[in-house]
Amino acid sequence: MMKPYAKSCEQNQAVILDVIKPLLANSQTVLEIGSGTGQHAVYFSQEIPHLYWQTSDCVEHHEGIQQWIDDVYNEKLLAPIALNVGKNRWPAHCYNTIFTANTLHIMSHKDVLALFAQLPTSLQEKGQFIVYGPFNYHGHYTSQSNERFDEWLHSRDPDSGIKDFEWLNELAGQAGLKLTEDYTMPANNRILCWQKV
Ligand SMILES: C[S@@+](CC[C@H](N)C(=O)[O-])C[C@H]1O[C@@H](n2cnc3c(N)ncnc32)[C@H](O)[C@@H]1O
């Protein structure tokens, strides 16, 4: 299998790092949901070397993620675990931070519900949930390109699509988390950060 590569990761990883590095200063352990190619995991764990970074995704992505991991020497960057948030049993470990990029718009509403419902169990006290991606606000797209992207997502999979910030924030509240940050990012993306209170 050829090592997977996503140009988008190379384009967004530095700007994401600028935001998440200070947020992760007091974290020791991170669970990444939907590691995809594995590029973000390699980059962030190299740039924030005190972290134990647990990669995860559906099994079909594991070989590619492992190839990226094998190309760096970092014993704190951990081999992927099988985690489809709505289907698999979550790891028993409790993390300081759960991070995910560009996944909530791929997931169905049911999977997003399952993810938020798991946060109280999988996050430590004061743990945080950090999410990068596009979101809608007050029922509106934040750009025409996001609207076109959402149409394309629906045509591929009617259960997927850009999620409403207000819905996610309500789910976070039900899970005992409070919004601490909402950062504007390039290309009409955001970084949302919730903390367990
Ligand atoms: C668009 S890719 C993003 C990958 C990477 N995080 C990035 O930013 O490039 C979406 C990823 O979410 C994963 N994913 C989709 N549904 C999921 C679910 N229910 N549970 C866990 N991961 C899921 C996919 O397997 C895929 O790797």
Side-chain angles (χ1 to χ4, degrees):
M1 177 189 168
M2 250 180 60
K3 192 173 162 184
Y5 169 78
K7 195 172 174 200
S8 58
C9 286
E10 203 151 301
Q11 288 166 337
N12 62 30
Q13 61 191 16
V15 288
I16 297 176
L17 177 71
D18 284 346
V19 171
I20 67 171
K21 193 170 179 176
L23 295 175
L24 293 170
N26 296 319
S27 285
Q28 309 297 318
T29 55
V30 176
L31 169 65
E32 181 185 19
I33 294 169
S35 298
T37 60
Q39 283 164 267
H40 275 163
V42 166
Y43 179 78
F44 297 141
S45 63
Q46 298 289 89
E47 294 291 330
I48 319 175
H50 73 271
L51 292 174
Y52 281 89
W53 190 282
Q54 175 65 66
T55 57
S56 81
D57 209 313
C58 310
V59 177
E60 58 266 31
H61 291 275
H62 286 199
E63 194 181 336
I65 296 168
Q66 192 61 50
Q67 288 188 52
W68 278 88
I69 292 176
D70 288 344
D71 282 352
V72 291
Y73 176 74
N74 183 350
E75 60 185 16
K76 292 184 173 173
L77 176 57
L78 307 176
I81 52 177
L83 184 56
N84 178 317
V85 296
K87 292 202 179 88
N88 295 120
R89 183 189 290 271
W90 283 56
H93 192 81
C94 255
Y95 298 87
N96 297 126
T97 297
I98 296 178
F99 170 81
T100 194
N102 285 320
T103 56
L104 298 196
H105 59 267
I106 305 294
M107 292 178 192
S108 63
H109 282 83
K110 200 166 143 261
D111 282 348
V112 174
L113 276 167
L115 195 172
F116 275 89
Q118 182 66 30
L119 295 177
T121 308
S122 293
L123 279 176
Q124 290 187 6
E125 282 310 304
K126 306 275 178 210
Q128 53 189 351
F129 181 45
I130 303 175
V131 185
Y132 169 86
F135 304 100
N136 289 339
Y137 288 77
H138 308 294
H140 295 292
Y141 295 103
T142 58
S143 69
Q144 281 190 348
S145 61
N146 277 2
E147 185 169 2
R148 283 195 298 273
F149 180 50
D150 201 36
E151 282 165 11
W152 176 77
L153 287 167
H154 281 290
S155 68
R156 255 173 90 241
D157 174 3
D159 283 341
S160 69
I162 296 178
K163 305 297 185 288
D164 287 331
F165 162 78
E166 290 79 10
W167 180 61
L168 299 175
N169 202 31
E170 197 181 313
L171 296 183
Q174 288 164 10
L177 279 77
K178 196 168 179 280
L179 186 76
T180 51
E181 306 286 354
D182 177 357
Y183 297 92
T184 305
M185 300 298 289
N188 307 299
N189 288 302
R190 319 285 305 179
I191 288 180
L192 305 174
C193 180
W194 289 276
Q195 188 169 37
K196 195 170 167 182
V197 285

